[in-house]
Amino acid sequence: GIQVEQSPPDLILQEGANSTLRCNFSDSVNNLQWFHQNPWGQLINLFYIPSGTKQNGRLSATTVATERYSLLYISSSQTTDSGVYFCAVDSRDYKLSFGAGTTVTVRA
Amino acid sequence: KAGVTQTPRYLIKTRGQQVTLSCSPISGHRSVSWYQQTPGQGLQFLFEYFSETQRNKGNFPGRFSGRQFSNSRSEMNVSTLELGDSALYLCASSYDRNTEAFFGQGTRLTVV
């Protein structure tokens, strides 16, 4: 099946800093989503972005499908941005395959 | 618009018992998928249902089963529970394949 690799595994930021999370995938995809897992375990939708660029407030994402990667940008980070960020892709087997996640810690 | 609802939120079961988890998708969504999250294995796909039919299944033993009802609500069942089944079980709903998936709050199962 498709392989999804996220980097870095851990990221420690000072409040106000910017950061970039990366997701590489091993095959072409029909669907790519970024999620933020809250402390209670729920996956919160950030972006549905199989290709192109989207922005939502301080977050933006870019997927370059032809080169098989996606980037999630966090600008002016806040302590509430802390948590685990997951990239998930749906290839031709019609299920979401998740990366291992990036754990972000934002310090005040 | 109501989100994806999973019940119960927490469960504690004994080895050998069985358990049933429930998922109510977003209104109008006909696809429901289930995922297991553990610290060691991460998020893994269990199965997907669409219009009461299982369309895809992950690599889990036959103790894990599911079904979907005509109103798109889904249940998953785990029989003969093992300690390793302790996990967060997440349900996702979407309109169909290749559309945005939305997740419920999860059911945290502990097997003792």
Side-chain angles (χ1 to χ4, degrees), chain B residues 83-95:
Chain B
L83 295 179
D85 297 333
S86 295
L88 178 66
Y89 290 88
L90 292 163
C91 164
S93 92
S94 60
Y95 180 73

PDB file of all heavy atoms in Angstrom, chain B residues 83-95:
ATOM      1  N   LEU B  83      -6.004  -7.957  25.252  1.00  0.00           N
ATOM      2  CA  LEU B  83      -5.410  -6.747  25.820  1.00  0.00           C
ATOM      3  C   LEU B  83      -4.953  -5.789  24.726  1.00  0.00           C
ATOM      4  O   LEU B  83      -5.070  -4.565  24.857  1.00  0.00           O
ATOM      5  CB  LEU B  83      -4.225  -7.114  26.721  1.00  0.00           C
ATOM      6  CG  LEU B  83      -4.537  -7.923  27.974  1.00  0.00           C
ATOM      7  CD1 LEU B  83      -3.256  -8.221  28.751  1.00  0.00           C
ATOM      8  CD2 LEU B  83      -5.543  -7.188  28.863  1.00  0.00           C
ATOM      9  N   GLY B  84      -4.470  -6.330  23.616  1.00  0.00           N
ATOM     10  CA  GLY B  84      -3.964  -5.519  22.520  1.00  0.00           C
ATOM     11  C   GLY B  84      -5.039  -4.764  21.753  1.00  0.00           C
ATOM     12  O   GLY B  84      -4.725  -3.930  20.912  1.00  0.00           O
ATOM     13  N   ASP B  85      -6.289  -5.042  22.060  1.00  0.00           N
ATOM     14  CA  ASP B  85      -7.382  -4.311  21.410  1.00  0.00           C
ATOM     15  C   ASP B  85      -7.631  -2.969  22.086  1.00  0.00           C
ATOM     16  O   ASP B  85      -8.438  -2.166  21.590  1.00  0.00           O
ATOM     17  CB  ASP B  85      -8.674  -5.142  21.444  1.00  0.00           C
ATOM     18  CG  ASP B  85      -8.551  -6.446  20.676  1.00  0.00           C
ATOM     19  OD1 ASP B  85      -7.738  -6.507  19.725  1.00  0.00           O
ATOM     20  OD2 ASP B  85      -9.268  -7.405  21.023  1.00  0.00           O
ATOM     21  N   SER B  86      -6.974  -2.731  23.190  1.00  0.00           N
ATOM     22  CA  SER B  86      -7.094  -1.430  23.859  1.00  0.00           C
ATOM     23  C   SER B  86      -6.597  -0.355  22.904  1.00  0.00           C
ATOM     24  O   SER B  86      -5.451  -0.403  22.427  1.00  0.00           O
ATOM     25  CB  SER B  86      -6.263  -1.399  25.143  1.00  0.00           C
ATOM     26  OG  SER B  86      -6.767  -2.314  26.085  1.00  0.00           O
ATOM     27  N   ALA B  87      -7.457   0.608  22.630  1.00  0.00           N
ATOM     28  CA  ALA B  87      -7.131   1.603  21.603  1.00  0.00           C
ATOM     29  C   ALA B  87      -8.196   2.674  21.578  1.00  0.00           C
ATOM     30  O   ALA B  87      -9.247   2.551  22.210  1.00  0.00           O
ATOM     31  CB  ALA B  87      -7.039   0.947  20.224  1.00  0.00           C
ATOM     32  N   LEU B  88      -7.909   3.706  20.789  1.00  0.00           N
ATOM     33  CA  LEU B  88      -8.922   4.696  20.448  1.00  0.00           C
ATOM     34  C   LEU B  88      -9.502   4.295  19.102  1.00  0.00           C
ATOM     35  O   LEU B  88      -8.758   4.119  18.128  1.00  0.00           O
ATOM     36  CB  LEU B  88      -8.293   6.088  20.367  1.00  0.00           C
ATOM     37  CG  LEU B  88      -9.220   7.240  19.973  1.00  0.00           C
ATOM     38  CD1 LEU B  88     -10.283   7.471  21.041  1.00  0.00           C
ATOM     39  CD2 LEU B  88      -8.412   8.513  19.739  1.00  0.00           C
ATOM     40  N   TYR B  89     -10.802   4.120  19.041  1.00  0.00           N
ATOM     41  CA  TYR B  89     -11.466   3.741  17.798  1.00  0.00           C
ATOM     42  C   TYR B  89     -12.183   4.976  17.247  1.00  0.00           C
ATOM     43  O   TYR B  89     -13.031   5.566  17.918  1.00  0.00           O
ATOM     44  CB  TYR B  89     -12.438   2.592  18.030  1.00  0.00           C
ATOM     45  CG  TYR B  89     -11.695   1.307  18.336  1.00  0.00           C
ATOM     46  CD1 TYR B  89     -11.336   0.980  19.635  1.00  0.00           C
ATOM     47  CD2 TYR B  89     -11.308   0.450  17.304  1.00  0.00           C
ATOM     48  CE1 TYR B  89     -10.611  -0.172  19.904  1.00  0.00           C
ATOM     49  CE2 TYR B  89     -10.592  -0.708  17.570  1.00  0.00           C
ATOM     50  CZ  TYR B  89     -10.247  -1.008  18.870  1.00  0.00           C
ATOM     51  OH  TYR B  89      -9.519  -2.143  19.138  1.00  0.00           O
ATOM     52  N   LEU B  90     -11.821   5.312  16.028  1.00  0.00           N
ATOM     53  CA  LEU B  90     -12.337   6.514  15.391  1.00  0.00           C
ATOM     54  C   LEU B  90     -13.202   6.153  14.193  1.00  0.00           C
ATOM     55  O   LEU B  90     -12.857   5.265  13.408  1.00  0.00           O
ATOM     56  CB  LEU B  90     -11.192   7.417  14.940  1.00  0.00           C
ATOM     57  CG  LEU B  90     -10.378   8.060  16.069  1.00  0.00           C
ATOM     58  CD1 LEU B  90      -9.059   8.579  15.542  1.00  0.00           C
ATOM     59  CD2 LEU B  90     -11.162   9.178  16.713  1.00  0.00           C
ATOM     60  N   CYS B  91     -14.276   6.862  14.071  1.00  0.00           N
ATOM     61  CA  CYS B  91     -15.191   6.680  12.946  1.00  0.00           C
ATOM     62  C   CYS B  91     -15.137   7.941  12.089  1.00  0.00           C
ATOM     63  O   CYS B  91     -15.061   9.060  12.619  1.00  0.00           O
ATOM     64  CB  CYS B  91     -16.597   6.460  13.493  1.00  0.00           C
ATOM     65  SG  CYS B  91     -17.931   6.650  12.309  1.00  0.00           S
ATOM     66  N   ALA B  92     -15.166   7.756  10.783  1.00  0.00           N
ATOM     67  CA  ALA B  92     -15.171   8.884   9.852  1.00  0.00           C
ATOM     68  C   ALA B  92     -16.354   8.771   8.914  1.00  0.00           C
ATOM     69  O   ALA B  92     -16.711   7.664   8.493  1.00  0.00           O
ATOM     70  CB  ALA B  92     -13.883   8.911   9.040  1.00  0.00           C
ATOM     71  N   SER B  93     -16.933   9.887   8.588  1.00  0.00           N
ATOM     72  CA  SER B  93     -17.996   9.876   7.591  1.00  0.00           C
ATOM     73  C   SER B  93     -17.642  10.792   6.435  1.00  0.00           C
ATOM     74  O   SER B  93     -16.939  11.794   6.602  1.00  0.00           O
ATOM     75  CB  SER B  93     -19.348  10.254   8.219  1.00  0.00           C
ATOM     76  OG  SER B  93     -19.630  11.634   8.148  1.00  0.00           O
ATOM     77  N   SER B  94     -18.105  10.405   5.271  1.00  0.00           N
ATOM     78  CA  SER B  94     -17.902  11.231   4.081  1.00  0.00           C
ATOM     79  C   SER B  94     -19.067  10.987   3.128  1.00  0.00           C
ATOM     80  O   SER B  94     -19.793   9.991   3.254  1.00  0.00           O
ATOM     81  CB  SER B  94     -16.567  10.920   3.391  1.00  0.00           C
ATOM     82  OG  SER B  94     -16.510   9.572   2.981  1.00  0.00           O
ATOM     83  N   TYR B  95     -19.218  11.898   2.176  1.00  0.00           N
ATOM     84  CA  TYR B  95     -20.312  11.748   1.215  1.00  0.00           C
ATOM     85  C   TYR B  95     -20.094  10.493   0.376  1.00  0.00           C
ATOM     86  O   TYR B  95     -21.010   9.701   0.138  1.00  0.00           O
ATOM     87  CB  TYR B  95     -20.394  12.989   0.335  1.00  0.00           C
ATOM     88  CG  TYR B  95     -21.488  12.905  -0.686  1.00  0.00           C
ATOM     89  CD1 TYR B  95     -22.823  13.018  -0.310  1.00  0.00           C
ATOM     90  CD2 TYR B  95     -21.197  12.676  -2.034  1.00  0.00           C
ATOM     91  CE1 TYR B  95     -23.834  12.916  -1.241  1.00  0.00           C
ATOM     92  CE2 TYR B  95     -22.201  12.574  -2.973  1.00  0.00           C
ATOM     93  CZ  TYR B  95     -23.520  12.699  -2.574  1.00  0.00           C
ATOM     94  OH  TYR B  95     -24.516  12.588  -3.502  1.00  0.00           O
TER      95      TYR B  95
END
